[in-house]
Amino acid sequence: MIRTALTELLGIRYPVVQAAMGYVSGPRLAAAVSDAGGLGLIASATMSLAELDKAIEETAGRTAGPFGVNLRADAPDAAERVQLIVARRVPVASFAQAPKPELIAALKDAGVVTIASIGARRHAEKAAGWGIDAVIATGGEGGGHVGAVPTSLLVPQVAAAVDIPVIAAGGFFDGRGLVAALAWGAAGIAMGTRFLLTSDSPVADEVKGLYLAAGLDGTVVTRRVDGVPHRVLRTTMVDQLEGGGRLGGLVRSARNAAAFRGVSGMGWGEMLRQGREMRRGGLGWGQVLMAANTPVLLRAAMVDGRTDLGLMSSGQVAGLIGDLPSCAELIESIMAEAGATLDRLAAARKA
Ligand SMILES: Cc1cc2nc3c(=O)[nH]c(=O)nc-3n(C[C@H](O)[C@H](O)[C@H](O)COP(=O)(O)O)c2cc1C
């Protein structure tokens, strides 16, 4: 057993969190992780409010363990999502990007534990000042939207700067990594790619196969998808995006925005409203248009199994993973290896 400030805060057996993954971490995966003694997070940014309500109900029906909902504080209906989390007595809420103080306060008043994802020390300090209960610090080797600072430097820096539990993320897959994170001052680890590559993850086998086949150089950070750095599997489609000119990118983006309107049921009015909101957040119209790419392309891979068309967010760690255990097998093996690693280190000290 390894008890940390995180296991105490969340009431979980093991200091292992499943990072939110759009279209991947729904009820099945989140409940499997929570049931195995970790913390599962439902990714809600790609769900409507009604879908989220159903997902919460299904997850609660699958596990008696605590689980959480990951949401975006800048979603137009963020306040309603918070109300839903409170009404459904979800124990944990985590913010995908910058949180908002009023949402943190509303959750905490209702007894919900709050977690913020951060990629820089100043963001952790700001969130801690707003009363957040814990942060997930994700280094540059992680999958999805990432910063440039590697996990091995970000985590010790953040852990020294704040006195709330820090959950280390980006590149974790085994028990040695958990011990390294604890040594850097973290209270646990969060993993995305490793949990995508389990038998409990809903992703199609052909897609999992591409991840398993990737080497350590099999991912790339591209800005061509939505204007911000995004670590994805290197595929022909990504190479084309990277190689294409700016105009070609914008034309493709416009096409994808139209397709997104189709899958999301969102009208052009709402899309423009959200676009204006993103503009206020400092993005150019080109980037706003490109942002519409992400859900369409992720969905094509993760839900429809389209390895040719889809976009596959992936951490570099895919290059070290070669199996598809269940979440329970994975977490048990991580904890066993962490225990053996601590014993090895203690023996080295005595020797
Ligand atoms: C397939 C995939 C989808 C992701 N989707 C999201 C998302 O919807 N929201 C989010 O905040 N982070 C998302 N992420 C990032 C993860 O939450 C996490 O930061 C990352 O996976 C950690 O690095 P690792 O993959 O090396 O474990 C995604 C990551 C992957 C691999």
Side-chain angles (χ1 to χ4, degrees), residues 127-146:
W130 289 337
I132 205 89
D133 295 304
V135 290
I136 301 181
T138 310
E141 51 269 70
H145 293 126
V146 281

Side-chain angles (χ1 to χ4, degrees), residues 50-69:
E51 285 167 344
L52 174 59
D53 195 9
K54 240 177 89 196
I56 292 171
E57 193 183 350
E58 191 184 333
T59 309
R62 283 171 175 261
T63 180
F67 64 92
V69 168

Side-chain angles (χ1 to χ4, degrees), residues 197-259:
L197 292 171
T198 58
S199 56
D200 295 304
S201 128
V203 171
D205 285 343
E206 310 84 76
V207 175
K208 287 180 185 171
L210 279 191
Y211 280 84
L212 292 176
L216 273 176
D217 59 353
T219 67
V220 60
V221 176
T222 178
R223 285 175 180 269
R224 280 301 172 93
V225 179
D226 51 12
V228 286
H230 192 151
R231 187 178 291 284
V232 296
L233 279 191
R234 186 193 295 274
T235 59
T236 313
M237 203 267 293
V238 171
D239 281 343
Q240 277 168 2
L241 273 181
E242 284 283 288
R246 190 172 144 71
L247 193 61
L250 284 180
V251 170
R252 255 192 306 274
S253 298
R255 242 193 346 252
N256 287 327

